[in-house]
Amino acid sequence: MAQDPYANQRRHIRVDEAVRIRFQFMRAPSTLSHLGQIDTITRNISEGGVFIELNKQNKLKDDPASIFALLKCPIEMDIFITEAGTPIKAQGKAVWVEKKVPGQEASYARG
C-alpha cells in the first residue's frame, strides 16, 4: 500500500476501509435534487471525514454545474459500519473532488 503523503498533516488517523454508505443531498438545487439517495462505499474513514467513492453508475453528472453544486450542498449520510447494526447518521459536505482514482480511471471520487 502506498504511504499517505498527508499523514503528518492530518488531525485524525484514517482507516483504509470500504464501508457501505448511503447519502443524499440536503437543500439540493435541481442539478442534484433528482438523485435521491445514493448507495456507494468509502475508500477511507476517520473521525474528521470520510472519502466517498462514486462511479459513473451513481447518477451524478460530471459537468461543472453538478460539481459546483456538489461542493456547495450539505449531505446527510448513513454509514453502515456493520451490516447488522444501526447505521451511524452524520451530516457533512464535499470539500474536494478527484476525478481519477489511481487504477480506476473510469470512476471518480468525492471527499
Side-chain angles (χ1 to χ4, degrees):
M1 178 171 28
Q3 187 172 354
D4 182 355
Y6 302 103
N8 292 332
Q9 298 173 18
R10 298 191 192 281
R11 286 189 211 164
H12 308 287
I13 296 171
R14 289 192 175 261
V15 178
D16 292 331
E17 189 67 38
V19 174
R20 188 167 71 94
I21 186 168
R22 177 182 302 131
F23 71 94
Q24 65 185 23
F25 296 98
M26 303 164 52
R27 301 182 304 277
S30 60
T31 54
L32 299 176
S33 62
H34 70 284
L35 297 174
Q37 293 184 332
I38 298 172
D39 287 296
T40 189
I41 61 168
T42 65
R43 184 191 296 178
N44 60 49
I45 191 165
S46 76
E47 182 180 339
V50 59
F51 187 126
I52 299 173
E53 282 198 13
L54 294 177
N55 57 39
K56 301 294 182 186
Q57 288 75 37
N58 290 113
K59 308 179 281 189
L60 190 61
K61 291 182 181 177
D62 189 14
D63 65 336
S66 294
I67 300 300
F68 178 79
L70 171 71
L71 291 169
K72 294 295 181 186
C73 190
I75 62 173
E76 293 179 317
M77 297 172 269
D78 289 333
I79 304 169
F80 299 87
I81 299 297
T82 65
E83 288 299 320
T86 303
I88 296 170
K89 302 236 180 235
Q91 293 182 354
K93 71 180 194 95
V95 294
W96 58 270
V97 174
E98 178 183 292
K99 290 191 178 189
K100 291 187 178 180
V101 177
Q104 300 176 7
E105 283 73 15
S107 59
Y108 51 99
R110 311 290 189 247

